[in-house]
Amino acid sequence: MDSVTSEQPVRSSQHLAPTVARSVKVLVVGAFGVGKTTLIGSVSEIEPLRTEEVITTASVGVDPVAGHGEKTTTTVAMDFGRVTVSPEVALYLFGTPGQRRFWDLWAGLADGAVGAVVMIDTRHLEDSFEVLDQLELRTTMPFAVVVNEFPDAPQYPVERLRAALDLLPSTPIVKCDARDRTSAVRVLVALVEHALTFPVFQKVLA
Ligand SMILES: Nc1nc2c(ncn2[C@@H]2O[C@H](COP(=O)(O)OP(=O)(O)OP(=O)(O)O)[C@@H](O)[C@H]2O)c(=O)[nH]1
Ligand SMILES: [Mg+2]
């Protein structure tokens, strides 16, 4: 899994490399504004599909828009992108909407996924409890937790986060900057390596 470089993805690469023998689906979930769309945009080698809509004043009091700075748009259906992480393996990334009222879309998006990236923002850690509950309720897939490090976010040692989020010792926790391709790819590689420890996924990913 070392063929990915830190350069910006070449968006013109519409076609899969002929060496790719496995295409696997990965879900990117997380609460409102944690950086899901940003992460998929950073890594995708095809022009990412986005379904952003401007956040309207109707959201105030319904969606957790407060405390999210200059954020003006939100995902209303899904994000989609692709990244080839080794000569043989391509990941298809499906990003979910962060707002609660769209969470029913998760079931369809999760269908056939081998694993999930759960993005968290330590400025709004409490929003992540519900996301993790929903993921465990709606799916059985392995997941890796990704701390998207915003500059003004409190920094916690990984083991403190593990305890706070009640994660298993085996669940990877990776820190990243979703805007940085190398960092974002590292997250995906950690997820794939974790999923490979589940026998049910070994066949799919091997
Ligand atoms: N400083 C910093 N800003 C980031 C980072 N990741 C995302 N952002 C910014 O944070 C905002 C939220 O990012 P999005 O990618 O839209 O978040 P999202 O999780 O897709 O949001 P929803 O789809 O609305 O739930 C955007 O303005 C990004 O530019 C990061 O790693 N560091
Ligand atoms: Mg989004």
Side-chain angles (χ1 to χ4, degrees):
M1 304 246 169
D2 55 0
S3 65
V4 179
T5 70
S6 60
E7 293 136 34
Q8 282 303 303
V10 181
R11 301 278 200 216
S12 60
S13 162
Q14 297 289 330
H15 301 289
L16 273 180
T19 51
V20 170
R22 300 273 183 280
S23 298
V24 294
K25 181 175 177 182
V26 166
L27 205 60
V28 179
V29 304
F32 175 74
V34 292
K36 303 173 292 294
T37 300
T38 304
L39 180 121
I40 292 174
S42 298
V43 295
S44 184
E45 60 207 11
I46 55 173
E47 194 62 42
L49 170 76
R50 291 180 176 144
T51 59
E52 295 293 281
E53 293 289 347
V54 173
I55 298 169
T56 64
T57 48
S59 288
V60 176
V62 178
D63 299 316
V65 292
H68 288 272
E70 303 296 303
K71 189 165 158 62
T72 55
T73 65
T74 188
T75 303
V76 294
M78 63 181 283
D79 298 301
F80 175 73
R82 187 191 79 206
V83 57
T84 306
V85 291
S86 81
E88 299 83 23
V89 179
L91 306 184
Y92 285 89
L93 307 173
F94 288 74
T96 58
Q99 296 185 43
R100 267 184 210 90
R101 58 191 161 133
F102 299 123
W103 283 6
D104 282 343
L105 296 172
W106 285 26
L109 290 174
D111 197 24
V114 299
V117 165
V118 182
M119 297 190 75
I120 67 169
D121 174 353
T122 57
R123 297 171 304 177
H124 307 280
L125 205 52
E126 65 289 351
D127 296 347
S128 304
F129 298 130
E130 207 178 342
V131 170
L132 285 161
D133 282 350
Q134 288 297 312
L135 185 68
E136 288 173 327
L137 199 70
R138 292 168 189 257
T139 78
T140 54
M141 68 181 83
F143 61 87
V145 169
V146 176
V147 185
N148 191 17
E149 292 193 299
F150 291 84
D152 55 335
Q155 304 224 350
Y156 300 111
V158 162
E159 289 316 313
R160 241 183 105 191
L161 285 172
R162 187 181 300 286
L165 297 171
D166 196 21
L167 300 173
L168 292 172
S170 56
T171 301
I173 303 177
V174 190
K175 298 188 176 183
C176 95
D177 179 338
R179 299 163 305 173
D180 178 85
R181 183 164 203 252
T182 306
S183 181
V185 167
R186 204 153 29 83
V187 160
L188 296 169
V189 170
L191 170 66
V192 171
E193 285 173 351
H194 179 55
L196 273 169
T197 65
F198 289 65
V200 65
F201 297 112
Q202 280 165 4
K203 228 173 13 183
V204 186
L205 290 166

